[in-house]
Amino acid sequence: MSYDVAIIGAGPAGSAAAYRLADAGARVLLLDKATFPRDKPCGGGVTGRAARLLPFSIEPVVEDVADRLECGLRYRQRITRQARAPLAYMTQRRRLDHFLLQQAADAGAEVRQGETADARELDARIVIGADGCNGASAKQLGLADRVAHGVALEANYPYERRYAGAMVLEIAVIRGGYGWIFPKGDHINVGVGGNGEEAPKLRAELRRMCEEYGIDPDAAQETRGYRLPMRLPGTRLARGTTAVIGDAAGLVDPLSGDGMYEAFYSAKLVAEAALEVLAGRAENLDPYQAGVERRIAPLTRAGWSAKRAFERFPRTTYALARLPVTFRALAKLLEGDLPHPAAARGGELAAIRAIYAVSRAAAAAAGTTGSRSAASS
Ligand SMILES: Cc1cc2nc3c(=O)[nH]c(=O)nc-3n(C[C@H](O)[C@H](O)[C@H](O)COP(=O)(O)OP(=O)(O)OC[C@H]3O[C@@H](n4cnc5c(N)ncnc54)[C@H](O)[C@@H]3O)c2cc1C
């Protein structure tokens, strides 16, 4: 049987796209090499803005809701900020991804598990690669060839009530990144991540993060490392009636390392573009690429910029980031009330601009300018 759309990979990106397309009446094939429920190394923090992008609630798989940010700079200068709305819904990927897959199947997508697919060999009008950062679809389709990689290591530890409702971040413990503690229903998830070349330091830094927070490092379970793909400006994500989304497209945020918002957003954009093709109103998926440049790229640019500021001048940038006015802007971003930092207003915009000024100073100090250099830093 021939399909309207074949999607390789049933992570957050693939299942969200499959749901939208099947729900709109398309004949959709969703393939994954794994059998669900399966896990994926991830903090499992679904930001408020990410959750808002889904056409259904993820409440059945939410284990905690973080509305409090506890943040430090290299284990000093810790601050606590309380948000008015959820910053992130805490889940486990084995539960979330299975739930999303079931939503896609219930909407009418044909789901095949335990099947490894080649993007060049699928019998469908439209082929979408959603096979994550280790998938082969981008290469097979000649897409997303300019992507930088970060790296992260995480593990689960026994539950501690004190972390309930909190998102704990420890900035600059790793170059180009941070450490985190995220609460789950019956355990806490602790991780560290940063620039790719920091990989050899991750194990020691994860241990240190635990020790600094009074968590027994030897109680670690399921310690896992994984890459974080970050697209460089202008990288092509669609050609003809093929496209890549989510991590396969390198859409992880360079500053936060989050990728589920971008996975859900790229799924939405590609589904809209695919439905136009199927309806005969468009010939190709170019509008998807245009949508990414308009809706996601401004956030990615802001991420590169802030990342550069934190890397080069961590104390100055942290001093700006810990201002209550900056937290208000950050909370709006995470909740989905602000599309990107430059859209802030008043004092919040002034604080954001100050961070950009630090970023420009960092670029000047490094003898580079613009977001391209930030991207390659
Ligand atoms: C340590 C760590 C912590 C993170 N924490 C967060 C966080 O807290 N919040 C957040 O928003 N983001 C986080 N991220 C990023 C987030 O995990 C990814 O951005 C997200 O998983 C991207 O979803 P995806 O659907 O694009 O890809 P994936 O989730 O990687 O799914 C890809 C799917 O494709 C399948 N596949 C691969 N190859 C094939 C093939 N040939 N044929 C068939 N199927 C195939 C795989 O089995 C998999 O199911 C974190 C990442 C890391 C590494």
Side-chain angles (χ1 to χ4, degrees):
M1 174 191 175
S2 171
Y3 297 89
D4 291 328
V5 187
I7 301 173
I8 305 172
S15 286
Y19 174 91
R20 287 180 178 279
L21 286 159
D23 193 51
R27 286 168 304 151
V28 178
L29 174 63
L30 177 62
L31 293 149
D32 202 293
K33 65 180 183 184
T35 303
F36 289 67
R38 66 99 181 88
D39 219 342
K40 144 91 177 63
C42 184
V46 180
T47 54
R49 70 182 176 191
R52 275 166 69 163
L53 268 176
L54 285 172
F56 46 79
S57 167
I58 59 165
E59 198 265 328
V61 291
V62 171
E63 300 191 356
D64 201 340
V65 179
D67 59 3
R68 186 171 84 251
L69 176 70
E70 295 180 21
C71 195
L73 176 72
R74 292 180 185 148
Y75 309 114
R76 291 195 298 273
Q77 302 183 44
R78 286 185 196 161
I79 54 158
T80 298
R81 299 269 184 265
Q82 185 67 44
R84 292 197 198 121
L87 298 168
Y89 300 95
M90 297 298 174
T91 181
Q92 296 186 57
R93 288 294 299 274
R94 69 163 65 85
R95 296 186 63 198
L96 174 72
D97 291 18
H98 195 205
F99 175 76
L100 296 174
L101 178 88
Q102 282 168 335
Q103 301 303 308
D106 290 350
E110 181 181 327
V111 176
R112 285 201 221 144
Q113 304 184 44
E115 254 186 59
T116 300
D118 186 318
R120 296 160 299 194
E121 293 171 2
L122 293 166
D123 185 13
R125 281 180 71 188
I126 293 170
V127 172
I128 298 172
D131 47 356
C133 75
N134 293 334
S137 70
K139 200 162 187 194
Q140 290 161 355
L141 299 171
L143 297 170
D145 58 346
R146 296 185 61 242
V147 172
H149 286 97
V151 67
L153 184 74
E154 51 128 38
N156 294 331
Y157 297 84
Y159 186 72
E160 288 192 33
R161 177 165 294 283
R162 97 148 201 77
Y163 295 108
M167 219 165 92
V168 178
L169 303 180
E170 200 57 60
I171 307 295
V173 294
I174 284 283
R175 191 163 166 78
Y178 61 92
W180 73 84
I181 302 172
F182 288 174
K184 310 291 163 166
D186 63 358
H187 66 270
I188 53 171
N189 178 261
V190 184
V192 289
N195 294 345
E197 59 274 17
E198 299 291 292
K201 298 181 190 158
L202 291 182
R203 204 159 277 276
E205 283 305 329
L206 181 59
R207 203 174 174 85
R208 167 125 196 247
M209 178 87 185
C210 289
E211 285 165 355
E212 292 282 350
Y213 277 86
I215 299 162
D216 177 7
D218 296 320
Q221 287 195 347
E222 301 175 57
T223 308
R224 297 165 309 177
Y226 212 75
R227 296 193 302 162
L228 297 155
M230 299 168 288
R231 169 185 187 241
L232 301 182
T235 300
R236 190 158 183 171
L237 303 182
R239 178 176 290 111
T241 53
T242 66
V244 284
I245 60 176
D247 274 18
L251 292 177
V252 162
D253 184 279
L255 179 67
S256 67
D258 283 5
M260 283 193 272
Y261 169 74
E262 288 79 1
F264 295 149
Y265 212 153
S266 56
K268 177 175 186 289
L269 294 170
V270 88
E272 287 166 0
L275 290 171
E276 289 298 294
V277 172
L278 294 175
R281 289 190 292 268
E283 287 184 357
N284 54 46
L285 296 176
D286 288 358
Y288 161 64
Q289 171 100 33
V292 170
E293 303 303 350
R294 205 167 47 246
R295 307 280 179 206
I296 301 178
L299 205 58
T300 312
R301 278 196 296 276
W304 281 119
S305 186
K307 178 179 161 71
R308 177 173 51 191
F310 271 113
E311 263 187 62
R312 179 80 194 189
F313 300 117
R315 270 178 299 180
T316 309
T317 313
Y318 184 70
L320 291 166
R322 62 187 285 182
L323 295 172
V325 75
T326 317
F327 176 71
R328 279 208 298 277
L330 176 71
K332 284 182 189 168
L333 270 172
L334 294 181
E335 291 158 13
D337 290 334
L338 201 61
H340 54 84
R345 293 277 171 268
E348 294 167 18
L349 182 59
I352 301 288
R353 283 186 172 152
I355 292 177
Y356 286 159
V358 177
S359 174
R360 283 195 299 277
T368 56
T369 53
S371 60
R372 283 182 81 91
S373 54
S376 57
S377 67

